[in-house]
Amino acid sequence: VQLQASGGGLVQAGGSLRLSCATSGRTFSSYDMGWFRQAPGKEREFVAAITRSGTIIAYTDSVKGRFTISKDNVKNTVYLQMNSLKPEDTAVYYCGILRGGARNQAGSYSYWGQGTQVTVSS
């Protein structure tokens, strides 16, 4: 399984970006997925997660009301719509496939993509 994250860039505070994570493989619809981010010198932290059917969604508190995770099982892609971006959202964003355990823990995921850089200027 391969994951390819894209959509990052440089944006001013208050702006928006839409991240995509395209996944290879024939069983994408069976995957629970998650987005994490990692700023320089910090650990990878949970951002959002979505179940295989999209019926259960979770967010870290700092992005609630601003970010939206969604999943397209036809396009084998998971998205992260990010609005009202803040400088503290600056990080490399990664998508992963949940393999077991708590969905807000990086150790529960595998098949990380290469990440996409998001930089928010003040």
Side-chain angles (χ1 to χ4, degrees), residues 33-69:
M33 304 286 294
W35 283 99
F36 283 70
R37 64 188 179 187
Q38 189 165 17
K42 295 188 177 181
E43 294 185 352
R44 191 168 297 190
E45 67 167 351
F46 172 73
V47 176
I50 188 167
T51 54
R52 60 200 67 184
S53 62
T55 55
I56 299 175
I57 293 173
Y59 299 96
T60 192
D61 286 345
S62 63
V63 308
K64 286 180 180 177
R66 301 188 298 122
F67 291 11
T68 303
I69 188 172

Side-chain angles (χ1 to χ4, degrees), residues 88-102:
E88 51 263 43
D89 295 318
T90 296
V92 178
Y93 283 70
Y94 299 89
C95 58
I97 297 173
L98 181 67
R99 285 318 218 190

Side-chain angles (χ1 to χ4, degrees), residues 71-92:
K71 191 171 183 277
D72 188 330
N73 287 334
V74 174
K75 295 183 178 179
N76 286 3
T77 301
V78 62
Y79 303 97
L80 186 68
Q81 177 67 42
M82 306 187 296
N83 299 326
S84 301
L85 282 161
K86 303 176 181 180
E88 51 263 43
D89 295 318
T90 296
V92 178

